[in-house]
Amino acid sequence: MTIRSVIRATGQYLPERIVENSWFEDKVDTSDEWIRSRTGIERRHFAAEGETTSQMAIRAAEDALNRAGMSADQIDALIVATSTPDLTFPSVATMVQAGLSLKTGFAFDVQAVCAGFVFALANADGMIRSGQAQRVLVIGAETFSRILDWEDRGTCVLFGDGAGAVVLEAAEGERGILASDLNSDGSYREILYVDGGVSTTGNAGKLRMQGNVLFRHAVEKLAETAHAAIDKAGLTPQDVDWLVPHQANARIIAATAQRMHLPMEKVILTVADHGNTSAASIPLALAVADAAGRFSKGDVIVTEAIGGGLSWGSVVLRW
Ligand code: ACO
């Protein structure tokens, strides 16, 4: 029998503060109508002052463990996908480990910006299938509100904060992660980056993005990577029950679904309520859909994401 990585449970945490699009209208030259029609975003959550990425990650992890009926000491590896860590080091993952009072196993962060959760999931799957771990908590957690330039209308309206988590467990059988496809091309660095860092400015910096250039890469590369992962799984787009995409922009999601010949009824959408939460967006979308009972055992789910780097990828799994 084949050992696969099965999602046992999902978890989520969103900060209490909800900010509607209209909040931005007296800060930059924008409108609720522009944001809704160009992005599909209606509102987003922002972390409270002093609320950190690790605190949100711990809440999402606790939610996932509760839903899995597991205690933290059953987890032997913990991966956090984030580009907005509390500190330069130690990793957010080790902070989550401490927050869960876990003293065994190992913990580390993955940094692939908005594609981070897909990269983390593929890494966790590799560790499970190679026997390095039996149960892995994979978390996406971000406080993008801390790296936004509040005078740049092209970016500040797009992002939100939050955390999502999944518990992956080794199991024999047909369910679980079937295939993944990961890609990066560092020559596209200028399209999306943060203009600060440890070895350059010494501060965290602010997010800079060529939105319309990135839009074109996203539409092309997301469909390509999803097709590649579906193909590696020995499936066809007709076999796909759900697309759980990175939630950056409803128009990118619709264009990708169209290229995959998937009707929008098969697409999980949270971008209206969450905005772009970067590495947290896919686990949050999984958790929202799971809590609403939308997935059935055996459903084929495709996740895909693109982010700074550029880095992009897709994971196909059977629920
Ligand atoms: N309100 C009003 N007008 C705006 C706003 C705003 N918030 N933002 C930009 N505009 C203006 C621009 O200034 C421009 O005006 P101009 O024609 O006078 O110069 C006009 O709108 C059109 O600008 P575009 O950038 O061409 O608009 P577009 O339709 O491409 O939408 C958007 C912009 C929403 C950013 C889109 O390009 C997008 O979603 N890009 C991809 C973002 C993405 O996928 N990110 C994922 C990765 S994020 C990560 O990895 C961290």
Side-chain angles (χ1 to χ4, degrees), residues 200-236:
T200 51
T201 60
N203 60 47
K206 299 292 178 203
L207 184 145
R208 306 293 170 207
M209 181 171 81
Q210 296 171 27
N212 47 9
V213 181
L214 182 53
F215 192 99
R216 289 194 289 277
H217 281 287
V219 170
E220 181 194 303
K221 291 180 167 51
L222 289 173
E224 264 174 27
T225 187
H227 278 294
I230 292 167
D231 199 43
K232 286 182 195 176
L235 300 173
T236 68

Side-chain angles (χ1 to χ4, degrees), residues 4-293:
R4 294 194 197 282
S5 314
V6 178
I7 294 186
R8 290 295 183 215
T10 59
Q12 56 177 307
Y13 173 77
L14 288 160
E16 233 170 79
R17 182 177 169 216
I18 297 173
V19 172
E20 302 288 338
N21 288 344
S22 53
W23 183 81
F24 292 91
E25 287 175 351
D26 56 3
K27 296 195 160 39
V28 287
D29 182 12
T30 191
S31 64
D32 175 41
E33 199 283 325
W34 191 96
I35 301 169
R36 270 174 206 254
S37 62
R38 303 310 293 166
T39 71
I41 298 167
E42 296 175 19
R43 59 193 66 82
R44 75 286 292 140
H45 294 247
F46 283 147
E49 212 182 315
E51 190 171 29
T52 64
T53 298
S54 69
Q55 288 166 357
M56 296 196 300
I58 291 166
R59 298 286 292 271
E62 287 170 342
D63 188 30
L65 286 170
N66 279 340
R67 288 170 189 273
M70 289 180 192
S71 55
D73 58 10
Q74 290 177 273
I75 296 298
D76 42 24
L78 205 155
I79 308 178
V80 176
T82 188
S83 302
T84 46
D86 299 22
L87 301 172
T88 301
F89 73 79
S91 63
V92 173
T94 54
M95 296 182 188
V96 175
Q97 189 192 24
L100 296 175
S101 306
L102 185 59
K103 286 199 169 287
T104 54
F106 57 96
F108 63 95
D109 288 357
V110 163
Q111 208 271 52
V113 201
C114 296
F117 185 77
V118 167
F119 277 57
L121 205 54
N123 270 281
D125 178 46
M127 292 194 305
I128 285 178
R129 284 190 294 107
S130 65
Q132 284 186 77
Q134 291 291 306
R135 295 192 191 90
V136 186
L137 248 175
V138 187
I139 304 167
E142 302 277 19
T143 42
F144 260 54
S145 62
R146 305 270 156 74
I147 53 165
L148 296 177
D149 174 351
W150 299 104
E151 289 175 3
D152 177 10
R153 67 177 181 172
T155 56
C156 70
V157 303
L158 302 176
F159 295 90
D161 302 333
V166 302
V167 178
L168 276 188
E169 186 175 33
E172 287 184 352
E174 297 307 312
R175 295 178 63 206
I177 293 178
L178 304 177
S180 54
D181 179 67
L182 305 180
N183 311 270
S184 305
D185 185 341
S187 68
Y188 292 121
R189 167 179 137 165
E190 298 302 319
I191 296 175
L192 176 59
Y193 66 101
V194 169
D195 65 4
V198 179
S199 70
T200 51
T201 60
N203 60 47
K206 299 292 178 203
L207 184 145
R208 306 293 170 207
M209 181 171 81
Q210 296 171 27
N212 47 9
V213 181
L214 182 53
F215 192 99
R216 289 194 289 277
H217 281 287
V219 170
E220 181 194 303
K221 291 180 167 51
L222 289 173
E224 264 174 27
T225 187
H227 278 294
I230 292 167
D231 199 43
K232 286 182 195 176
L235 300 173
T236 68
Q238 287 72 43
D239 298 314
V240 176
D241 295 294
W242 297 101
L243 177 65
V244 185
H246 169 46
Q247 310 281 323
N249 183 314
R251 289 189 296 137
I252 294 175
I253 294 171
T256 307
Q258 195 180 17
R259 284 181 176 223
M260 293 174 67
H261 307 291
L262 285 180
M264 287 307 283
E265 299 78 65
K266 292 188 169 192
V267 181
I268 302 297
L269 280 172
T270 53
V271 67
D273 294 328
H274 298 174
N276 180 348
T277 57
S278 187
S281 94
I282 290 176
L284 274 169
L286 282 170
V288 167
D290 184 23

